Every structure is written in structure tokens, then in C-alpha cells.
């Protein structure tokens, strides 16, 4: 059974940082494309970033490029999203997903999400 469990969200001031984690199980970690997708209230889902299976190449939405960094630790079966220079518009529920493609919000599985709120 595929399980994706996100953590690390919270309330942070503008300009602050957070690191999200996604603990994965039920599949061969690193063999499937993984992504972060976010959804703000009253808005549709937004693709944030993707890490390719295999070589681990990363891709980012223009809205987060240069501020967010996606990585993975295969020894821990964990995906990360380091978020720096956070802005109020980054506030959303962040979901870890598998099976998607670069730039798209569709996925095969996702976690329960973790709330990120950027506010002073």
C-alpha cells in the first residue's frame, strides 16, 4: 500500500523558511517521479516542483524558482521541500504526490497534506 505522510508545515512570517518532509512507503523510492503540489483556499491546485526518478533532476514552477529546493534521501525514503524567502502567496496546503509529470497537478497518489501559512 502506497503511503505518503507530509510534515513540517506551520505558521511563518514573510521572509522566513520552512522545510517540508514526505515520508514514503509502499513503493520503490526513487523509481517514480515525485512532486509537490499546493492548493490555497478557493483556488485550484498548483504544481510546485518535481524530482525525476533515476537521476533526481529537479524542476520548479516559476513562482518558487530560486526560493524552494526539492531533494530526497533514499536511505530514509523521504522527500523534502526547503522553502526560503516565503511570501504570503505561498500559503497553501502542500501535498506530496507520485506518478505525476513536470508542470502538471495530476498524480496517482498523494498524502494528506501539510498546511503552510505565511503571515505577519
Amino acid at each position: 500500500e502506497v503511503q505518503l505522510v507530509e510534515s513540517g508545515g506551520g505558521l511563518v512570517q514573510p521572509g522566513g523558511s520552512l522545510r517540508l518532509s514526505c515520508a514514503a512507503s509502499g513503493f520503490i523510492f526513487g523509481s517514480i517521479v515525485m512532486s509537490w503540489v499546493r492548493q490555497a483556499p478557493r483556488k485550484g491546485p498548483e504544481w510546485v516542483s518535481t524530482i525525476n526518478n533515476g537521476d533526481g533532476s529537479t524542476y520548479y514552477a516559476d513562482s518558487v524558482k530560486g526560493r524552494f529546493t526539492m531533494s530526497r534521501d533514499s536511505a530514509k525514503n523521504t522527500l523534502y521541500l526547503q522553502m526560503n524567502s516565503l511570501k504570503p502567496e505561498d500559503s497553501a496546503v502542500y501535498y506530496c504526490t507520485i506518478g505525476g509529470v513536470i508542470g502538471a497537478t495530476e498524480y496517482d497518489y498523494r498524502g494528506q497534506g501539510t498546511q503552510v501559512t505565511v503571515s505577519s
Side-chain angles (χ1 to χ4, degrees), residues 5-70:
V5 180
E6 302 95 334
S7 61
L11 173 63
V12 63
Q13 292 187 342
S17 298
L18 283 174
R19 188 176 80 156
L20 306 184
S21 299
C22 172
S25 61
F27 61 98
I28 300 174
F29 191 83
S31 68
I32 302 176
V33 172
M34 299 186 73
S35 301
W36 289 96
V37 174
R38 67 186 181 185
Q39 187 161 13
R42 298 173 299 280
K43 292 187 177 181
E46 178 187 10
W47 171 74
V48 175
S49 61
T50 294
I51 187 164
N52 261 346
N53 54 327
D55 67 1
S57 300
T58 52
Y59 304 85
Y60 301 93
D62 288 343
S63 58
V64 307
K65 198 173 295 181
R67 300 187 297 122
F68 290 11
T69 303
M70 187 177 186

Side-chain angles (χ1 to χ4, degrees), residues 35-38 44-48 97 100-108 110:
S35 301
W36 289 96
V37 174
R38 67 186 181 185
E46 178 187 10
W47 171 74
V48 175
T97 73
V101 298
I102 298 167
T105 57
E106 290 75 20
Y107 50 83
D108 292 332
R110 76 168 199 194

Side-chain angles (χ1 to χ4, degrees), residues 55-88:
D55 67 1
S57 300
T58 52
Y59 304 85
Y60 301 93
D62 288 343
S63 58
V64 307
K65 198 173 295 181
R67 300 187 297 122
F68 290 11
T69 303
M70 187 177 186
S71 62
R72 67 188 181 194
D73 185 335
S74 296
K76 297 182 178 179
N77 281 10
T78 301
L79 186 71
Y80 300 102
L81 185 67
Q82 177 67 44
M83 306 187 297
N84 299 328
S85 303
L86 282 162
K87 305 175 181 180

